[in-house]
Amino acid sequence: MIKVQNLCKSYKNSRVLSDINLHVQRGEIFGIVGQSGAGKSTLLRCINGLESFESGKVIVNDTDIAGLNETAMRQFRRKIGMIFQNFALLNRKTVLDNVMLPMECWHYPQVERRKKAEELLALVGLADKLGSLPHELSGGQKQRVAIARALTLEPDILLCDEATSALDPAITQSILELLRDVNRQMGITILMVTHDMAVIKTICTRMAIITGNRIATTGRVSDVFLAEPAELRELVGYKEIYAPAGRSLLRVALRESVGGPASLYELFAFLKGDFSIVSANIEQFESESYGLLYLHVAAEQLEQTVHCCQQHGIECSAYSPESPARGNG
C-alpha cells in the first residue's frame, strides 16, 4: 500500500529525514512515534505529496508519486484523507458545511454532498450537530467532524498527524475507537503519527520509531515493547535497574498466548523463593495481554533459570550486574 524507499529530505542545509525505509500494508493501522522534531510530520507530508524530497521513492498504490504532474497529483491526493491536531475546521461554516467542503471542491452535486455528509456525521455520532458551528462543539466533537470530512471522498488511506494530542484521555479513547471502527468497516489504511505511546498501544498493529531523523526500529507493537530497544527506552524514560553483588537480573517477557500463569508457577517453583521482583508491567496490545517482569536471582542460578524458562516457553534474557536493564517500576 505505502512503500518508502531510501527517502532523504532536507530544509536548506538541515537534514530532516535520512534514508527512510517503510512499508505499510493495506488495511493496517501503522504508528510512527518519535520526539518532537524527529521528522514524523514531514514524512507524512512526503507521503501525500505536499513536500518534495531530494532522493528516494514514495510509492502509494503502486504509484511513484515523484513522477506525477500537477493534475495527476491532485487526483492522487483525492484518495488520501488527512486529520490534523488542530482540527482545521472553518469557524464560519456549520458542521454540515465543513464536512461537505471537499465534495464541493470536487463539484459533487448538492444533493449528493448533503446525503454523504449526513451519513458520515451519523457514523461519527454527530447526526444532531448538523447546524452547529465549530465553537459550539467540544474538542472531541470537532475531531469527529474532521474525521467525517476526511472520509467524504472515500479515501484509501487516512493520515493522522497528532490527531488526539489536543484531547483529554477519555475523549482520546473514544476517537481511537472510532478510527478503529472506520478501519474495520471501510478497510481504510491508517497511518498514525504521534508522540503518545498510549495511542500506539491502543490502536496500532505495527509501529516505527524515528530518532535522529532515521527509522531506528520497526515491527509489531507488542514485539517492540517487549524487546525494549534503546530508542523506546529513551522515549518512554525507563529507570535503570541494577543487580546487587551476588545477584543477577533476569528479564522475562510474557505473552498471554505463550508462557502464561502455569509457566510462571513452574519458574517460581524452580527458584524456591530465592528471587525478588524488581519491576513488573502488564500492557494490553490488540486485546491480548503482554508483560515484562524483572527478577533478582542468585548469580549461580542464572544459567539454570534461563534454561528453565526456555523449557516452559518463556522468553527471557539475562543481565549481568555490570549491564543495567531498565524497567518502569
Side-chain angles (χ1 to χ4, degrees), residues 23-44:
H23 183 200
V24 180
Q25 300 169 1
R26 186 180 302 276
E28 77 172 329
I29 303 179
F30 192 100
I32 299 176
V33 66
Q35 295 177 339
S36 298
K40 306 184 299 297
S41 296
T42 300
L43 177 56
L44 278 196

Side-chain angles (χ1 to χ4, degrees), residues 52-123:
S52 60
F53 43 90
E54 288 77 58
S55 61
K57 289 186 177 182
V58 175
I59 301 172
V60 181
N61 280 338
D62 299 321
T63 298
D64 187 343
I65 69 171
L68 299 179
N69 59 31
E70 185 176 345
T71 301
M73 181 63 78
R74 188 166 181 262
Q75 290 289 342
F76 164 77
R77 291 196 191 112
R78 182 176 180 176
K79 286 299 182 180
I80 298 183
M82 191 84 182
I83 304 174
F84 303 93
Q85 176 181 356
N86 63 356
F87 320 125
L89 302 179
L90 298 180
N91 293 325
R92 294 186 179 182
K93 286 186 175 290
T94 65
V95 164
L96 182 65
D97 288 336
N98 267 283
V99 175
M100 291 195 298
L101 186 59
M103 294 183 286
E104 183 179 344
C105 293
W106 282 93
H107 308 296
Y108 281 53
Q110 170 66 25
V111 174
E112 185 178 347
R113 293 203 302 262
R114 185 178 182 95
K115 181 175 182 295
K116 184 72 172 179
E118 288 178 349
E119 289 173 352
L120 289 171
L121 285 167
L123 174 69

Side-chain angles (χ1 to χ4, degrees), residues 101-173:
L101 186 59
M103 294 183 286
E104 183 179 344
C105 293
W106 282 93
H107 308 296
Y108 281 53
Q110 170 66 25
V111 174
E112 185 178 347
R113 293 203 302 262
R114 185 178 182 95
K115 181 175 182 295
K116 184 72 172 179
E118 288 178 349
E119 289 173 352
L120 289 171
L121 285 167
L123 174 69
V124 301
L126 294 177
D128 59 337
K129 299 292 184 181
L130 303 185
S132 300
L133 293 171
H135 74 267
E136 299 173 313
L137 305 178
S138 68
Q141 289 172 329
K142 290 177 183 177
Q143 197 59 288
R144 287 173 179 270
V145 174
I147 292 171
R149 182 185 57 193
L151 297 175
T152 55
L153 301 181
E154 300 180 355
D156 299 320
I157 299 168
L158 200 56
L159 304 180
C160 302
D161 190 3
E162 299 283 5
T164 59
S165 63
L167 307 175
D168 65 43
I171 295 175
T172 291
Q173 186 65 31

Side-chain angles (χ1 to χ4, degrees), residues 128-320:
D128 59 337
K129 299 292 184 181
L130 303 185
S132 300
L133 293 171
H135 74 267
E136 299 173 313
L137 305 178
S138 68
Q141 289 172 329
K142 290 177 183 177
Q143 197 59 288
R144 287 173 179 270
V145 174
I147 292 171
R149 182 185 57 193
L151 297 175
T152 55
L153 301 181
E154 300 180 355
D156 299 320
I157 299 168
L158 200 56
L159 304 180
C160 302
D161 190 3
E162 299 283 5
T164 59
S165 63
L167 307 175
D168 65 43
I171 295 175
T172 291
Q173 186 65 31
S174 69
I175 295 298
L176 294 179
E177 290 172 0
L178 173 59
L179 289 172
R180 186 188 287 113
D181 290 342
V182 166
N183 169 257
R184 290 173 177 171
Q185 295 175 24
M186 301 182 176
I188 295 175
T189 303
I190 299 179
L191 187 56
M192 302 280 299
V193 157
T194 182
H195 64 272
D196 188 348
M197 291 297 176
V199 170
I200 298 292
K201 295 174 184 177
T202 299
I203 194 173
C204 297
T205 303
R206 294 194 303 132
M207 66 179 289
I209 299 176
I210 294 184
T211 182
N213 305 322
R214 299 176 181 271
I215 291 183
T217 301
T218 186
R220 290 186 64 85
V221 173
S222 56
D223 291 339
V224 172
F225 275 85
L226 285 179
E228 287 187 318
E231 298 80 16
L232 178 66
R233 298 198 302 264
E234 182 180 354
L235 280 172
V236 176
Y238 288 125
K239 69 179 183 180
E240 293 183 349
I241 303 173
Y242 296 90
R247 309 290 283 179
S248 291
L249 271 168
L250 183 71
R251 177 184 178 278
V252 180
L254 303 172
R255 302 173 188 264
E256 188 174 336
S257 56
V258 180
S263 297
L264 275 182
Y265 175 80
E266 296 291 341
L267 171 61
F268 293 156
F270 171 81
L271 291 171
K272 298 178 181 178
D274 187 16
F275 70 93
S276 57
I277 296 176
V278 185
S279 176
N281 185 46
I282 300 294
E283 300 280 5
Q284 194 83 11
F285 304 112
E286 301 177 77
S287 302
E288 187 172 359
S289 296
Y290 297 82
L292 284 172
L293 183 66
Y294 286 92
L295 304 176
H296 278 161
V297 300
E300 62 270 16
Q301 272 192 299
L302 182 60
E303 185 176 342
Q304 290 178 310
T305 304
V306 170
H307 180 66
C308 176
C309 286
Q310 293 171 345
Q311 281 187 317
H312 293 90
I314 301 175
E315 298 175 37
C316 68
S317 55
Y319 292 86
S320 70

